[in-house]
Amino acid sequence: GIPMTPSLPTIYLVRHGETAWSVSGQHTGRTDIPLTPAGEAVAKLLPARLAGVTFSHVLSSPLLRARRTAELAGFSPAVDPDLQEWDYGDFEGKTSAEIRKVHPGWLLFRDGPPGGESVAEMTARVDRVVGKLRGLSGNVLVFAHGHFLRTLACRWVRQPVGFAQHLLLGTAAICKLGFDHHNPDEPAIAAWNT
């Protein structure tokens, strides 16, 4: 018979809705803060934006802002600790402007945060997630965080984490990762920050 090609997954990424710190620009890693009322309202619009897509797997970061976004969008996700936001260590709760007063020219995706996850540690964690996602089939929905998802997109297409600097991602935005020509050797970003 004809050999069956295993079906490749299509990965839908959703960044959590707005929080007080996403509004203020503070780095929110492991601090478990809730969505704002505006963040909750936008999360409730996600079902209409994802209408017509059936998901074989729904995953979420364990942090409240991601889980609540999933719940308001009408999903009961499986929680995966590997989907947590970057651990910002000493820079938790600080804005980029505050950080650059002390560390001029600092870039998260190049330099990493002191006392938190290094770029190498983040790369290893995200590569683990890429491996898990590539092992699934069908449409997969992932609720997670801005810097984590930007890093995930880079590693999906086998780029260094530093490239994430150039991929902006708003709250409650939807992205899509897949493959060109249905070829597992051609991972691609199909849609970004929509």
Side-chain angles (χ1 to χ4, degrees):
I2 296 164
M4 285 290 293
T5 310
S7 90
L8 296 169
T10 300
I11 315 295
Y12 290 76
L13 311 176
V14 179
R15 184 180 171 199
H16 64 75
E18 175 191 283
T19 67
W21 284 14
S22 69
V23 174
S24 61
Q26 290 166 267
H27 284 81
T28 321
R30 302 299 168 82
T31 306
D32 211 4
I33 64 173
L35 299 177
T36 61
E40 295 218 342
V42 172
K44 289 175 188 166
L45 302 176
L46 287 166
R49 298 177 62 205
L50 294 166
V53 185
T54 305
F55 294 100
S56 53
H57 304 272
V58 182
L59 307 170
S60 175
S61 157
L63 296 167
L64 175 65
R65 56 193 183 273
R67 284 188 293 114
R68 182 75 177 135
T69 300
E71 180 185 303
L72 290 168
F75 297 96
S76 303
V79 168
D80 184 343
D82 275 348
L83 301 178
Q84 289 189 77
E85 183 57 295
W86 203 311
D87 182 343
Y88 298 122
D90 300 349
F91 290 168
E92 183 75 12
K94 294 187 165 60
T95 65
S96 293
E98 287 171 334
I99 293 165
R100 287 190 188 120
K101 280 181 191 155
V102 185
H103 301 269
W106 176 78
L107 293 173
L108 171 69
F109 295 109
R110 182 190 66 203
D111 305 324
E117 277 177 292
S118 69
V119 170
E121 287 167 333
M122 193 62 180
T123 302
R125 176 157 70 90
V126 170
D127 285 354
R128 245 192 344 259
V129 171
V130 168
K132 288 187 226 183
L133 293 174
R134 288 191 68 141
L136 302 175
S137 58
N139 295 313
V140 180
L141 182 57
V142 175
F143 290 89
H145 309 272
H147 289 143
F148 173 85
L149 291 171
R150 289 163 72 179
T151 305
L152 177 61
C154 285
R155 299 305 296 160
W156 183 264
V157 294
R158 302 173 181 155
Q159 296 304 303
V161 171
F163 182 69
Q165 189 72 34
H166 308 292
L167 296 175
L168 300 182
L169 186 57
T171 51
I174 301 173
C175 307
K176 194 171 160 185
L177 306 177
F179 299 88
D180 201 9
H181 308 118
H182 306 288
N183 181 347
D185 295 324
E186 297 184 58
I189 297 171
W192 189 257
N193 199 28
T194 63

